[in-house]
Amino acid sequence: MLVAYDDGLTTHLNGVPHPERPDRVRVVADELRRRGMFGERVDTRVARPDEIERVHPASYIELVRRTCAMLGPNEATDLATGDVMVDAGSYEAAARAVGATLVALDAAVTGHRGTFALVRPPGHHAEPARGMGFCVFNNAMIAARTYAQDEGKRVLVLDFDYHHGNGTQAAAGGGVSYAGSHAAPAYPGTGDPRDNRVAADAALVNIPIDARRGIATEGFIGIHTRMLRALADRVRPGLLVVSAGYDVVAGDPVGDLGVDPSFARQMGRLIREVADEYCDGRAVFVLEGGYDPATLAACVAETILGFEENTEVEKTDAEAIPAAQRALVREVEAA
Ligand SMILES: [Zn+2]
């Protein structure tokens, strides 16, 4: 699989103690290289402001640029819009994360295949005018919006991160649908399933999972398999954008729903199946959370292997999905 990555993505929060640290992507890159899976690595690029403006207003982009430009070599501060720490390198790194995602999008669209943007900072909490939760620019949504506007086709964003993708949901619509699971109660507190709606142009599906109980791996896979198959059939997307967050995995220092790292391979298989059936193979994976670098590295590798092996998703028992989530999945299937 083509992976968009280079060391320019490690300049954000370099030397600042923070869970969203440069080692996250560096360790993944080392693991992919070690396994011989980095043969299709491509360099990233820094996105232009007009590309970032597909989702974010110019005033917010300028706020990020100015905040970072004012900082000295060993300084860090929170963005004025909320809980996002930035340092002198953060604007360029965040614009590079967008650029890397657009490089991955181009390759997916022209090659009719799956690509992976191995980026940080992550993006799914970033609302149009407000960075939040470690996220500066919404990488996944910028790619989704770019494709929907340029190609005039629908896009389905699937988010399997531990946390709700509030920023992506806020910017969805106009041919971009959003669907995902998230832990609740948990940051950022959004994603009420009572707002769920299944419509071809602007579907919105949130499936909260009890943060205190967690979920069995089979149940997690079962939710996504049934939700994604049913929704893709309604939406008929030309592209899948996957907000690939791995903080659901057991032991993650920020998230942790008790899910086994093997889930990543099943997710890769599932997304391959749906991308092949509806999108001529086009799928762009965009890294979101996952805060234990070694586990993150294993999971990213497994997702890529799952996507590439062309094997069916393992059948899951409906009973493995807890009753509350099963009811929500059935609503999507019946819509
Ligand atoms: Zn997360």
Side-chain angles (χ1 to χ4, degrees):
M1 184 181 282
L2 179 141
V3 180
Y5 173 82
D6 58 45
D7 289 339
L9 294 157
T10 62
T11 58
H12 165 63
L13 301 183
N14 200 355
V16 178
H18 197 283
E20 204 290 277
R21 58 192 197 270
D23 255 5
R24 294 179 62 239
V25 289
R26 208 181 274 138
V27 170
V28 177
D30 288 347
E31 177 70 8
L32 295 180
R33 204 174 284 121
R34 193 184 66 76
R35 292 198 196 196
M37 296 170 66
F38 234 19
E40 280 196 278
R41 187 200 65 78
V42 292
D43 282 338
T44 68
R45 64 180 178 83
V46 176
R48 301 183 310 268
D50 66 287
E51 293 175 308
I52 303 171
E53 280 175 35
R54 297 273 195 167
V55 169
H56 302 282
S59 56
Y60 170 70
I61 300 168
E62 182 56 18
L63 169 81
V64 177
R65 196 195 60 74
R66 235 183 315 116
T67 306
C68 297
M70 280 171 3
L71 295 168
N74 290 308
E75 292 177 335
T77 188
D78 271 336
L79 273 186
T81 58
D83 53 337
V84 183
M85 190 172 276
V86 293
D87 63 10
S90 297
Y91 177 80
E92 185 169 320
R96 186 178 293 283
V98 174
T101 308
L102 293 175
V103 166
L105 171 68
D106 274 346
V109 170
T110 54
H112 301 278
R113 59 181 182 147
T115 60
F116 205 113
L118 179 57
V119 296
R120 63 178 288 278
H124 72 153
H125 292 307
E127 297 183 351
R130 181 164 70 141
M132 281 175 63
F134 313 165
C135 300
V136 178
F137 300 133
N138 199 316
N139 309 309
M141 193 61 201
I142 291 168
R145 182 80 64 81
T146 299
Y147 180 82
Q149 289 176 346
D150 291 356
E151 306 285 330
K153 291 183 193 163
R154 293 195 280 264
V155 181
L156 179 53
V157 181
L158 176 72
D159 189 327
F160 61 80
D161 192 270
Y162 177 92
H163 304 93
H164 178 238
N166 60 291
T168 311
Q169 175 174 319
V176 180
S177 294
Y178 174 86
S181 65
H182 63 270
Y187 181 91
T190 47
D192 191 327
R194 284 174 296 191
D195 297 332
N196 284 2
R197 57 175 186 268
V198 177
D201 256 2
L204 171 64
V205 177
N206 280 304
I207 307 210
I209 295 168
D210 191 325
R212 289 152 301 203
R213 286 197 199 162
I215 190 164
T217 305
E218 189 184 358
F220 190 84
I221 296 300
I223 288 171
H224 281 275
T225 303
R226 290 176 54 177
M227 174 179 71
L228 185 60
R229 284 177 179 161
L231 207 52
D233 193 55
R234 280 298 297 276
V235 171
R236 307 258 156 186
L239 172 74
L240 289 181
V241 173
V242 183
S243 268
Y246 297 91
D247 38 10
V248 294
V249 172
D252 187 275
V254 175
D256 187 350
L257 276 174
V259 172
D260 188 84
S262 65
F263 95 104
R265 194 156 192 140
Q266 299 292 331
M267 292 304 295
R269 289 176 180 172
L270 169 64
I271 289 151
R272 167 63 180 264
E273 174 202 296
V274 174
D276 274 352
E277 186 165 355
Y278 297 97
C279 315
D280 288 329
R282 291 179 289 258
V284 181
F285 293 83
V286 188
L287 185 67
E288 301 288 358
Y291 299 95
D292 177 65
T295 304
L296 178 62
C299 285
V300 170
E302 289 297 311
T303 300
I304 293 172
L305 291 171
F307 190 91
E308 289 184 335
E309 68 191 349
N310 221 350
T311 301
E312 274 186 32
V313 185
E314 284 166 21
K315 286 214 165 33
T316 53
D317 186 348
E319 300 296 317
I321 304 176
Q325 288 77 26
R326 215 184 314 147
L328 291 170
V329 166
R330 285 202 178 122
E331 282 177 20
V332 177
E333 291 173 332

